[in-house]
Amino acid sequence: MATKEDLLSDVLRLPPEERAEVAHKLLLSLEAETEDPEAQAEWSAELERRAREVLDGSVQTVLLEQVEERIRARLDQRR
């Protein structure tokens, strides 16, 4: 049986679209059962839409560090 490190190494060698698909399926597997199937379907559709936008380049991603800097700057302006 493969270790989690082996699996991660294999997955990281996949093309971006396939990595996104694996990540999406893993996230879905962690979600608790919902009592509202419509809400679950809407969340799934939203996740897929966002993943497609990142993969097709129609949205620009931002590094977490940049977002944190912006938030800190805004908070500093309010003080």
Side-chain angles (χ1 to χ4, degrees):
M1 175 157 220
T3 66
K4 65 182 175 185
E5 290 81 14
D6 293 335
L7 290 171
L8 181 59
S9 178
D10 290 344
V11 169
L12 290 174
R13 282 183 281 207
L14 294 171
E17 185 174 312
E18 291 180 24
R19 289 195 316 263
E21 182 180 347
V22 170
H24 176 73
K25 288 182 180 181
L26 285 171
L27 288 172
L28 289 176
S29 75
L30 295 174
E31 291 181 359
E33 292 286 324
T34 181
E35 294 178 24
D36 184 356
E38 273 185 51
Q40 181 64 33
E42 289 177 24
W43 274 115
S44 293
E46 180 66 14
L47 288 171
E48 288 179 24
R49 181 188 66 79
R50 290 181 183 197
R52 276 193 308 275
E53 288 178 341
V54 169
L55 292 171
D56 70 18
S58 62
V59 295
Q60 182 179 1
T61 59
V62 179
L63 294 174
L64 174 61
E65 292 81 8
Q66 292 173 323
V67 173
E68 289 173 337
E69 271 183 43
R70 290 178 192 169
I71 292 170
R72 278 191 210 98
R74 288 182 184 171
L75 289 173
D76 287 344
Q77 287 176 354
R78 291 182 181 187
R79 291 180 187 170

